[in-house]
Amino acid sequence: MAEAHQAVGFQFTVRPDGVDFKLSQEVIKNIYLSGVTAWKKKAIQFKNGVLAGVYPASPSSWLIVVIAMMSSLYIHIDPSLGMMDAIKENLPYRSTRAVLSAILFATGLWLFLIYLLRYTLKALLSYHGWIFESHGKMSTSTKVWLCLVKMFSGRRPLLYSFQASLPRLPVPSVDDTIHRYLESVRPLLDNEQYNKMELLASDFKENKAAQLQRCLILKSWWATNYVSDWWEEYIYLRGRSPIMVNSNFYIMDLLYVTPTHRQAARAGNVVHAMLQYRRKLERGELAPLRALGTVPMCSTQMERMFNTTRIPGIETGEQMFHHFVKLLGHIFDSVLSHLTDRKHLVVFHKGRFFQVWLYTGGRHLLPSELETQFQRILNDTSEPQPGELKLAALTAGYRIPWAQARIKYFSQGINKVSLDAIESAAFFLTLDDEPQGYDPAKSNSLDSYAKSLLHGKCYDRWFDKSFTLISYPNGKMGVNVEHSWADAPIVGHMWEYILATDCFHLGYTEEGHCKGDVNKNLPHPTRLQWQIPNECQNVIETSYLSAKQIADDVDFHGYLFAEFGKGLIKKCRTSPDAFIQLALQLAQFRDQRVFCLTYESSMTRMFRDGRTETVRSCTSEAVAFVRAMEDAGATRLALFRKAAEKHQNMYRLAMTGSGIDRHLFCLYIVSKYLGVDSPFLTKVLSEPWKLSTSQTPQQQLNLVDINKFPKYVGGGGGFGPVADDGYGVSYIIVGENLITFHISSKFSSPDTDSYRFGQHIRKAMLDIQALFKSSHTRTTLTVYKANVM
């Protein structure tokens, strides 16, 4: 270990005449630099914490208010309307009472103004009328509102500056939610089924809804978000099924560009860029993401990006956040403590686990130093210890056997020390031994790449870590992400920063190595030690076999749709997301000849602690359009526009807190707590999502001008199928002329085929585009005839 390496610099010998100390100068220097860095970091965190705590005011504004109150003493004007005199009467020290009363009143006034500004901003951010306006058409009231938001938002906000000003997620009315729910299932049910559902909904609304709704409203007043904690616990942490494929998702590297083909060098640059990102994150120095460049998004999910591990439980999972800050002997659970890091990384290579220290002398390791460390691991020829090769399969299998094994075999001794090293690491890095990446010459390269990122060999990713960084021998990278702590846009934000920093700021030498001098005096990476008995090895093998069965069943197809993209869709005066969702409905119907309940994820991060909401994309309007496309009806374009507008409106309702599914989910949880049986809620929560879709956002940071550098675009990411007989579809709108699709299903289902569904999507996209082509041709011909006549 690094500590052992440095300990040789500190020696002492007991002699008859006393103790002889020998202390290495290098050790003293490292201790000094580490201490200086730690105190600098604390000072910066304290400063930024104060700045975020008083936002949208600033600490200097306090001085202005104090000076103004002090000045009033000399011009004999009392702006406090007698309050300073009342304060003065209750203070000791007659000679300084006037000054102290002015300072105290000014401080109270300053705090009042901060809260006034904050709640005014919260009231402004509660307005969502702007999101329902047509694209490119902004009303006068919205323009005025935007100006007010900008005025009250202050200057140069930090990452967490807006948190206290974000509104709470509102609880929709039961009537509205049930009305929207019945509307959403109408195209999926026949008359008899729909009438039964109406009766169940009516009975729920009349007899049980009011009690459950009151409890939910009470929770919304007390909690910062009435959905998110229950969503995390019951949807993610209480699940006992494997999280590999079923929960975790992945994000790909750049599609067309590989900055270097040296595995250790690429990993060195990317890890160093992640350390830079973590430093900005823990100090709160990243700019908050803002819609329209003005409306702030919640940043809560970013707190748990690093040094986070999901811990299995017998009955429920927990998240263990290894973010420890010791102050006066106590451990505080606060924003700062969540972001206080451990200083190491755990690396997996060919069945061995290595611990790599990320700091030296109080600074991050340089990219060249990280490259040296990773190359040492690649050059290591030692064999895995008994049971070590497939150890990580415990995190890929069922949760209860993993929880039981963790308690029985990893709660003491060297196994506990090694497991603690993994779970407290900044993140997990796998140095893979099989090249992956997109290759236009290979038809299934994207499929193989995606499956490698999604599940790998089932034992070469630590699926419980917040994310596993994966490095391939050809220089490609990727990320496998545990889902409970955050959603895809959060990791996408980080990944865009990493790729831009790697390619445009750090760079490589002509030989493909990391830039900078090579420090060969660094302590070598340390092998983690294990003593895994045969009984535990049997548990590991069982977990591996169950995980492998899941992985082998994943039918994946990824492809690049390059015929047209966002640019052309916008020229058709429609939303790109609505265009793609309607294409998915058309593809689903052509593939299955029936319509199905469709899940599309939308974000609710305009609210405090917001995560996601569901858009039910299979609407009556979408069904009418699809049937018209199959019947070659003459009104197909008009039906498309009606369906697209309906979809956009549902998406906007979901984003602004008026969705369907999170409200019904929370009502169901309340019913279980109260012991209230609701056939309606049970029926709603048991409905399968045979088509689950999600759009992965791109260009959140705009660090790379893809018009200038069109090759520097990411491949996006994807996830496993949600239903045994359904499809999971992730799509990424890349720039103006490219859309990537990641399609998953199961080989075990005779009704699904990912490649076939991809072909249906392509055909549907082109068929919808043809509607606009023919419409444009007819319009042009009509105008031409009118001009001739």
Side-chain angles (χ1 to χ4, degrees), residues 9 182 224 233 249 271 311 362 491 563 621 652:
L182 292 174
T224 53
E233 179 179 356
F249 59 93
V271 169
I311 302 299
V491 186
E563 283 83 349
E621 291 80 359
R652 291 160 178 164

Side-chain angles (χ1 to χ4, degrees), residues 35 45 59 77 171 192 228 258 333 361 661 678 696:
Q45 288 176 331
I77 296 176
V171 181
E192 183 180 354
S228 294
T258 307
D333 182 15
D661 289 274
S678 171
T696 303

